[in-house]
Amino acid sequence: QVQLAESGGGLLQPGGSLILSCAVSGLTLDYYVIGWFRQAPGKQREGVSCISSSDGSIYYSDSVKGRFTMSRGHAMNTVYLQMDSLNPDDTAVYYCGVPRVPCIVAVTAPPSVSYWGQGTQVTVSS
């Protein structure tokens, strides 16, 4: 049984930083693409970042490029999302997911995902 569990969300002020974690069980990330997604109130879920299984390349959406950094942990079945220079537009529920599509599609097109985590809320507000 595949399970993804996000943690690390919270409330913070504009300009702040936060690290999200996603622990994956039931599959080995060496063989699967893994990504972070978010859904803001009243908006569609969108891809934020993604790590390719083939070569470890990391992709970002234009809205977070240069501010967010995705990585894999030493345990290799955990991924992280370091979020810096947060602003109110980053307020959303953040999900990790296993896309059915390549990373370049996962961060630019509506999500096509096999497995989702339960999500963690990130609120940026002064």
Side-chain angles (χ1 to χ4, degrees), residues 7-110:
S7 60
L11 170 64
L12 66 164
Q13 293 186 338
S17 296
L18 202 61
I19 300 176
L20 305 182
S21 302
C22 173
V24 182
S25 60
L27 57 82
T28 301
L29 290 181
D30 286 349
Y31 307 112
Y32 290 86
V33 173
I34 182 79
W36 283 99
F37 302 80
R38 69 184 182 184
Q39 187 164 16
K43 295 187 177 180
Q44 290 189 331
R45 197 170 298 189
E46 62 176 357
V48 172
S49 64
C50 182
I51 292 179
S52 171
S53 59
S54 60
D55 61 2
S57 296
I58 305 176
Y59 297 77
Y60 299 95
S61 67
D62 289 342
S63 61
V64 307
K65 198 174 296 181
R67 301 187 298 120
F68 289 12
T69 304
M70 185 176 181
S71 61
R72 285 178 61 175
H74 293 296
M76 301 305 282
N77 254 36
T78 302
V79 293
Y80 302 96
L81 187 66
Q82 168 77 45
M83 305 186 294
D84 299 317
S85 301
L86 285 160
N87 61 65
D89 289 339
D90 297 314
T91 294
V93 179
Y94 284 72
Y95 301 86
C96 58
V98 179
R100 300 188 186 100
V101 296
C103 276
I104 189 63
V105 178
V107 298
T108 56

Side-chain angles (χ1 to χ4, degrees), residues 104-123:
I104 189 63
V105 178
V107 298
T108 56
S112 177
V113 171
S114 298
Y115 305 104
W116 289 109
Q118 82 285 352
T120 186
Q121 176 71 47
V122 174
T123 303

